[in-house]
Amino acid sequence: MVAGLIASSGELKLAGIVMISGFYDLSEFAANPKSLQANQLVNVMMSETEGTEKALRERSILYSVQGIKTSVLIMNGEKDDRTDPDQAIRLAKEIVSRGGEARAIVYPDYGHQIPIDVREREIDLFIEKVLGN
């Protein structure tokens, strides 16, 4: 989430960002927690932001995507009980629809913890591509 918010601010020139197992529309996430862990995250989020719609929207990358001018790789497990893989797909589509470059990978066999060796392959390829090595 933080990487996406930094990228959307437009204040830094970034070659690319990688986001793993995140949530990108906080209001939607708060309204539909899928597990005890997700509900705990919602409780923390609400206490840290006072739970106002404005505060949640300001922290939701899906609402500031127009500022993202860098390549983005988004990874999520299909079985993730703490985040919503559909938000990862929506975020990538929204970035692309605004002329950006984004790719979402949803791993059907994994939950919140995507094994390092699995995600490392994609991240290495992404880094080589954005840095030109």
Side-chain angles (χ1 to χ4, degrees):
M1 275 179 44
V2 174
L5 290 171
I6 290 169
S8 70
S9 75
E11 293 180 22
L12 297 174
K13 184 170 171 41
L14 304 170
I17 60 170
V18 176
M19 295 187 279
I20 304 171
S21 300
F23 33 88
Y24 310 110
D25 183 335
L26 300 185
S27 296
E28 181 181 289
F29 178 76
N32 302 299
K34 299 189 293 185
S35 68
L36 176 62
Q37 292 87 352
N39 199 47
Q40 290 170 336
L41 290 170
V42 168
N43 290 337
V44 169
M45 180 176 31
M46 294 305 204
S47 71
E48 289 180 356
T49 66
E50 298 179 9
T52 68
E53 184 63 30
K54 180 180 185 273
L56 296 177
R57 191 175 178 94
E58 286 173 347
R59 292 163 176 82
S60 296
I61 301 164
L62 272 165
Y63 298 107
S64 59
V65 72
Q66 68 279 0
I68 297 177
K69 307 292 185 216
T70 189
S71 296
V72 181
L73 175 62
I74 309 162
M75 307 169 96
N76 221 107
E78 179 68 35
K79 298 175 184 175
D80 194 332
D81 65 344
R82 289 174 238 175
T83 68
D84 183 353
D86 291 338
Q87 285 194 13
I89 294 166
R90 281 181 39 220
L91 179 59
K93 286 181 179 178
E94 187 66 25
I95 292 168
V96 169
S97 77
R98 295 181 180 264
E101 183 180 332
R103 178 174 173 226
I105 303 171
V106 177
Y107 295 94
D109 297 330
Y110 302 110
H112 191 68
Q113 299 293 327
I114 302 165
I116 291 173
D117 62 319
V118 172
R119 65 184 189 210
E120 196 170 65
R121 287 186 288 253
E122 294 296 338
I123 293 170
D124 287 350
L125 289 171
F126 177 76
I127 290 170
E128 286 176 21
K129 180 182 173 192
V130 299
L131 295 180
N133 293 330

